[in-house]
Amino acid sequence: MNATTEHSTQMHEFIRNVQDRAKLESYGESHQLSRAVMTVLGQSVSGGQAKKLAAWLPPELHAELAGEHGHATAFDKSAFLDKVAGFIPSVDPYEVEKQVSAVLRTLRDSAPEGELTDTVDQLPHELAALFR
């Protein structure tokens, strides 16, 4: 298997995991949701932390996560969810929270044991709770 095929498989598995957890009907919706969450998460943590997170993600999601360099923007949970909702079809606050949590839990499961602690520590407690 070449590197491109391996990356594509990694992305497919990540998106399918999000789709299952979020109970979304289509792969496309799950893909759009994953990109949206990574974009906002990339804005919420330091540039250095975003680069560390990207190491555990499929390469196709690196650009979203690392799109914001430098200082983190302190979003509370509500602002984070509102920003994600601007990128996806769902506008129901409960559904958006459930879907964001599905992506963050998939990210958590992709990260090596204990390696997500620095990221979670940079987030407000109520937002960090969505990783659980």
Side-chain angles (χ1 to χ4, degrees):
M1 182 182 310
N2 65 33
T4 302
T5 304
E6 185 177 322
H7 291 162
S8 181
T9 300
Q10 184 185 14
M11 180 67 167
H12 186 77
E13 288 175 15
F14 187 93
I15 300 301
R16 285 286 181 218
N17 286 337
V18 169
Q19 184 177 1
D20 290 345
R21 284 184 168 152
K23 297 183 180 14
L24 293 172
E25 291 184 24
S26 77
Y27 181 89
E29 281 181 282
S30 303
H31 191 259
Q32 183 178 13
L33 171 65
S34 296
R35 288 188 179 279
V37 172
M38 293 307 149
T39 297
V40 179
L41 184 60
Q43 297 168 2
S44 303
V45 298
S46 69
Q49 193 59 41
K51 287 179 185 175
K52 286 181 185 176
L53 284 174
W56 311 311
L57 287 171
E60 296 89 342
L61 292 174
H62 290 186
E64 283 77 7
L65 199 55
E68 299 291 324
H69 297 290
H71 300 292
T73 302
F75 296 120
D76 64 10
K77 182 173 105 175
S78 178
F80 189 97
L81 296 175
D82 284 347
K83 284 192 72 73
V84 171
F87 291 103
I88 61 173
S90 181
V91 293
D92 177 83
Y94 173 76
E95 284 300 310
V96 171
E97 182 173 342
K98 187 174 79 170
Q99 291 173 3
V100 167
S101 182
V103 175
L104 295 177
R105 287 182 290 126
T106 302
L107 172 60
R108 178 198 65 205
D109 291 350
S110 300
E113 185 71 31
E115 289 294 318
L116 205 56
T117 304
D118 290 341
T119 299
V120 173
D121 288 348
Q122 290 186 25
L123 302 172
H125 178 71
E126 63 180 1
L127 184 53
L130 295 179
F131 281 89
R132 294 180 192 91

